[in-house]
Amino acid sequence: LYIIKYLKLLSPLDAATPNIILETVLDPILVLNSEGIIIKCNQATEDTLKLSSKQIIDRPLSDFFKAKEFGYSIK
């Protein structure tokens, strides 16, 4: 935030919005609704899963568990 404020790229309040954080974090991040359906993801998630956001969003998180491929259920 210091660099953003010093260089006046964005105000510190704008720099800390959820969407800015989601898009600048280098770790994969998923945002789920109360039913466990993915409603947002960042570029790191797309890169890790090698899927586009269109292929990720609106799917249950459980679709991405490897155990499902082997007939195990995750509860």
Side-chain angles (χ1 to χ4, degrees):
L1 288 175
Y2 173 77
I3 292 172
I4 291 168
K5 184 176 179 182
Y6 178 73
L7 297 176
K8 297 185 172 130
L9 300 173
L10 293 169
S11 76
L13 292 177
D14 291 336
T17 64
N19 286 334
I20 296 289
I21 293 168
L22 183 68
E23 292 307 319
T24 56
V25 171
L26 299 177
D27 296 319
I29 296 176
L30 295 168
V31 179
L32 309 174
N33 68 13
S34 61
E35 286 85 37
I37 305 298
I38 301 166
I39 58 173
K40 279 188 178 185
C41 67
N42 65 353
Q43 186 62 48
T45 302
E46 293 179 46
D47 295 343
T48 299
L49 295 177
K50 296 180 179 40
L51 297 171
S52 71
S53 62
K54 289 180 182 180
Q55 296 171 296
I56 299 169
I57 293 175
D58 293 327
R59 290 177 61 185
L61 179 60
S62 62
D63 281 0
F64 298 95
F65 287 106
K66 287 249 182 217
K68 194 173 187 176
E69 294 176 21
F70 300 103
Y72 299 105
S73 66
I74 298 182
K75 298 183 184 208

